[in-house]
Amino acid sequence: MVDLVVNYDTLHKLYRAYMPFIKPAGLFIATTESHFLGEELTIAYRLPDATQTNEFKGAVVWINPLGASGGRPAGIGIKIKTDVESHKHHIEKLLSSELASSDLTCTM
């Protein structure tokens, strides 16, 4: 059963959501639903220009509350725990030109 579905329909949205400081990899999901640190979730997500969704199991490792500083959206950071290298490879391949950007992300 999938707990959350996310569509990263642009590279900019994916860049803002990617959490390379979470090892081995993590994604931010904007949500106003209540979640707690350590909560296990199944996430389905679609990358820019993709026709299929990807799915992974992960754990909540970051929480942006409503009204977070810097105008950051409310949501959660999920540490990817299944098929990590495959998800990380696809995301970083798409973001190869964006990873050195100084644009603000949803978390830092």
Side-chain angles (χ1 to χ4, degrees):
M1 177 179 102
V2 172
D3 297 298
L4 292 169
V5 178
V6 187
N7 183 21
Y8 300 111
D9 56 355
T10 67
L11 282 178
H12 186 69
K13 285 183 184 175
L14 180 61
Y15 167 79
R16 286 185 39 89
Y18 186 51
M19 302 174 78
F21 55 90
I22 301 297
K23 299 300 179 198
L27 282 173
F28 181 81
I29 298 168
T31 181
T32 56
E33 294 176 17
S34 293
H35 293 280
F36 57 89
L37 291 175
E39 182 177 0
E40 300 277 331
L41 299 171
T42 299
I43 308 298
Y45 68 98
R46 181 171 293 153
L47 295 172
D49 299 325
T51 57
Q52 66 182 22
T53 59
N54 300 292
E55 194 172 301
F56 67 87
K57 291 187 186 299
V60 176
V61 296
W62 183 282
I63 297 175
N64 275 2
L66 283 171
S69 66
R72 290 179 173 85
I76 54 176
I78 305 290
K79 178 179 181 174
I80 300 171
K81 296 178 86 176
T82 55
D83 202 15
V84 179
E85 289 307 314
S86 176
H87 294 289
K88 183 177 179 176
H89 173 75
H90 285 103
I91 291 167
E92 288 186 352
K93 184 176 177 183
L94 283 172
L95 292 178
S96 62
S97 63
E98 303 282 323
L99 288 177
S101 174
S102 61
D103 287 347
L104 292 178
T105 67
C106 293
T107 56
M108 296 181 111

